[in-house]
Amino acid sequence: MIELPAIRWGEPYESLDVDQVSHFYTGEPIAKVHTVGSGIVRRDAKKAKHARRALQAMSPAELIARCAEAGELFESGTLAVGDSQQTPADFVQQQSATTGMPVSMCEANVTKNAFVLKNMERILDCLTRGLDLNILARGYGEEGRGVTVSYAAQCDALGAVLPSNSPGVHTLWLPVIALQMGLVLKPGSSEPWTPYRVYSAMVQAGIPREAFCLYPGAGAEIGGAILASCRRSMIFGGPQTIAQYEGNPRVQPHGPGYSKILFGDDCVDQWEQHIDLMVDSVLKNGGRSCINCSSIYASRHTREIAQALAERLGPVEVLPPDDPQSQLAAFTIPGAAPAIWGAIEADINDPQTTHMTEAYGDRLVEKDPVAYLRPVVLHCDSPDAPAANKEYMFPAVSVVECPQEKMLDAIGTTLIGTAITNDESFRADLIDCTDIDRLNLGPIPTPQVDWLQPHEGNLIEFLYRNRAVQVG
């Protein structure tokens, strides 16, 4: 069993309070993690300036080079993680064992995180819109137009309260070190593996260890202390989390995506050409991501679309996590899957909603002590159906019949919007729609993220404030 100490500005900390992270199915202990109280988090936060100063001693170019090296180590190196030496295969097996995610999905997320680390220069160039990073490092400089520009850092270290459901979300905080800011992380209760492996890879690549805090353990106390103590933080959660922190400039909340595919009237008659795209958008990564498609809108052919999706998704079975064909993740929190299925059953009882996957066997599969939900496809006669704009942490999609002219008023908040249309007027309306965050014009699967563009808000705009500086 691996022992993971808390990390306090690079120093391991062993606590009297130790939590156990266990195998999602067998209950076998996988790791012991040393937890801390909120008082330690708040006390450590007063030293955040030292983390920034340690990173400012290195140039942005040097930090980017070290991040690239860390990406190679993260992907293929044997690293010191806690009191063990962790190979890439160990990492994937441990992550799968404690989260219930199939091994193949864990491997895919390794590639995703490594890509961001290895391509940090390109990603920051895009996030800053080509700004010389030395201007951020110095605080001001000339952009090339004969005008002095200045950006004031809004924190010394970014806090992040991380989830366990999808290891891919770590790509959002990985660029912070290259921006000369420290990291204060609360790993997910069942997925401490990615933050610890990233930390180890970065330190081995030569990034100062005093730039990092890792506070593992369950409970809201640590997360609350991080959000209260750090001047800039991000948190991942559900609709309640979004509502709680909406409008708070210190916190960037990340919640459900309600990502969608919209068919324009000019392309919907060719919907069969896009069935693979729709299946991929719903099923990829076990349907656990905010970038998975949860609703498909079209003005006609909706029942045929829903039936075709049901024929593809309905037969998907629960397989062992080490099976290369496994596409579904376990729900490891007791009672979670039955509660979700109960909510879906309530929506199915609405007269505007039809359960299209009913003929393909039970959707709730209980394998004590965990449970699975097999893919669900619903058809909604209108956007007013209660199931029209729901999102769940498994492959579930509602195909919604809606006139094109009413779609943008009906879709609501949409993280990823894939619009399959060549209608220039409709495309102009889509570009103007403030409810869609990332817009895909054309047949692009919703999980296909271009990391060279901002995703879920621009990190630079969150961490820096544009201001005026005049030099006499």
PDB file of all heavy atoms in Angstrom, residues 24 209 237 333 350:
ATOM      1  N   PHE A  24     -12.187   0.161  -5.751  1.00  0.00           N
ATOM      2  CA  PHE A  24     -13.615   0.467  -5.845  1.00  0.00           C
ATOM      3  C   PHE A  24     -14.487  -0.784  -5.711  1.00  0.00           C
ATOM      4  O   PHE A  24     -15.640  -0.690  -5.271  1.00  0.00           O
ATOM      5  CB  PHE A  24     -13.920   1.180  -7.165  1.00  0.00           C
ATOM      6  CG  PHE A  24     -13.996   0.273  -8.375  1.00  0.00           C
ATOM      7  CD1 PHE A  24     -15.214  -0.204  -8.824  1.00  0.00           C
ATOM      8  CD2 PHE A  24     -12.847  -0.099  -9.057  1.00  0.00           C
ATOM      9  CE1 PHE A  24     -15.288  -1.031  -9.928  1.00  0.00           C
ATOM     10  CE2 PHE A  24     -12.910  -0.919 -10.169  1.00  0.00           C
ATOM     11  CZ  PHE A  24     -14.132  -1.393 -10.606  1.00  0.00           C
ATOM     12  N   ARG A 209      10.250  22.672  -5.888  1.00  0.00           N
ATOM     13  CA  ARG A 209       9.211  21.955  -5.165  1.00  0.00           C
ATOM     14  C   ARG A 209       8.426  22.878  -4.233  1.00  0.00           C
ATOM     15  O   ARG A 209       7.279  22.584  -3.887  1.00  0.00           O
ATOM     16  CB  ARG A 209       9.811  20.787  -4.382  1.00  0.00           C
ATOM     17  CG  ARG A 209      10.794  21.165  -3.295  1.00  0.00           C
ATOM     18  CD  ARG A 209      11.233  19.953  -2.479  1.00  0.00           C
ATOM     19  NE  ARG A 209      11.897  18.943  -3.271  1.00  0.00           N
ATOM     20  CZ  ARG A 209      11.385  17.728  -3.505  1.00  0.00           C
ATOM     21  NH1 ARG A 209      10.205  17.397  -3.001  1.00  0.00           N
ATOM     22  NH2 ARG A 209      12.052  16.854  -4.235  1.00  0.00           N
ATOM     23  N   GLY A 237     -17.695  20.980  -9.582  1.00  0.00           N
ATOM     24  CA  GLY A 237     -18.848  20.454  -8.855  1.00  0.00           C
ATOM     25  C   GLY A 237     -20.110  20.485  -9.697  1.00  0.00           C
ATOM     26  O   GLY A 237     -20.068  20.647 -10.916  1.00  0.00           O
ATOM     27  N   ILE A 333     -19.848   5.667  -5.251  1.00  0.00           N
ATOM     28  CA  ILE A 333     -20.512   6.213  -4.063  1.00  0.00           C
ATOM     29  C   ILE A 333     -21.799   5.428  -3.833  1.00  0.00           C
ATOM     30  O   ILE A 333     -22.663   5.362  -4.725  1.00  0.00           O
ATOM     31  CB  ILE A 333     -20.824   7.709  -4.240  1.00  0.00           C
ATOM     32  CG1 ILE A 333     -19.523   8.492  -4.445  1.00  0.00           C
ATOM     33  CG2 ILE A 333     -21.601   8.253  -3.050  1.00  0.00           C
ATOM     34  CD1 ILE A 333     -19.730   9.959  -4.773  1.00  0.00           C
ATOM     35  N   ASP A 350     -42.958  11.426 -17.883  1.00  0.00           N
ATOM     36  CA  ASP A 350     -43.561  12.596 -18.519  1.00  0.00           C
ATOM     37  C   ASP A 350     -44.106  12.197 -19.896  1.00  0.00           C
ATOM     38  O   ASP A 350     -43.426  11.498 -20.653  1.00  0.00           O
ATOM     39  CB  ASP A 350     -42.502  13.697 -18.671  1.00  0.00           C
ATOM     40  CG  ASP A 350     -43.059  14.938 -19.340  1.00  0.00           C
ATOM     41  OD1 ASP A 350     -43.732  15.729 -18.656  1.00  0.00           O
ATOM     42  OD2 ASP A 350     -42.829  15.090 -20.561  1.00  0.00           O
TER      43      ASP A 350
END
